[in-house]
Amino acid sequence: MTLARDIPRHTHHVADECIYVLDGELGVDFADRSLTVTPGMFVLLPHGVPHALRAVSVPPPRLLQISSPGGWECYLEDLFEAGPSVLTDGVLDPVKINPIAARYDIRYEESA
């Protein structure tokens, strides 16, 4: 996949997320750390650990993303079906995305 939009801070409560960077640079913020993941690097984001993803490069990074257990593809299908209704000013909006994410045991942090 290509990281077309930054992904706000969120937590997978069941699935572990694995990301391998194919091209470009990916910013990963998790727990209390930030790092830049470059081509050929792999990052494991275990369930229960809050994290956010952002494009550091132009063009945006291309990634191989694997979640275990499966079901990530169903979540993405639901997001694609929701279309721009989960965006505010072109940015993923946690308040709007959480009702969809909750069905997949994912929670986006909402601003106070």
Side-chain angles (χ1 to χ4, degrees):
M1 67 176 236
T2 298
L3 187 70
R5 287 191 170 81
D6 291 349
I7 309 297
R9 192 170 175 87
H10 63 285
T11 303
H12 301 259
H13 294 285
V14 175
D16 296 323
E17 185 173 10
C18 308
I19 299 172
Y20 180 83
V21 176
L22 299 167
D23 296 304
E25 295 184 348
L26 174 70
V28 179
D29 303 318
F30 65 97
D32 60 350
R33 299 178 60 194
S34 292
L35 61 107
T36 299
V37 185
T38 59
M41 292 177 72
F42 171 88
V43 63
L44 169 64
L45 302 166
H47 68 278
V49 178
H51 60 278
L53 306 174
R54 55 192 159 69
V56 175
S57 61
V58 176
R62 285 188 329 115
L63 318 167
L64 175 61
Q65 191 274 346
I66 301 169
S67 290
S68 179
W72 179 252
E73 70 282 0
C74 299
Y75 172 57
L76 291 180
E77 288 173 1
D78 286 354
L79 283 182
F80 294 145
E81 186 175 311
S85 70
V86 297
L87 305 175
T88 298
D89 298 326
V91 176
L92 287 171
D93 185 328
V95 171
K96 295 177 180 178
I97 202 171
N98 271 332
I100 297 168
R103 296 191 297 252
Y104 300 93
D105 297 308
I106 301 168
R107 176 83 180 151
Y108 288 81
E109 293 182 8
E110 299 176 14
S111 299

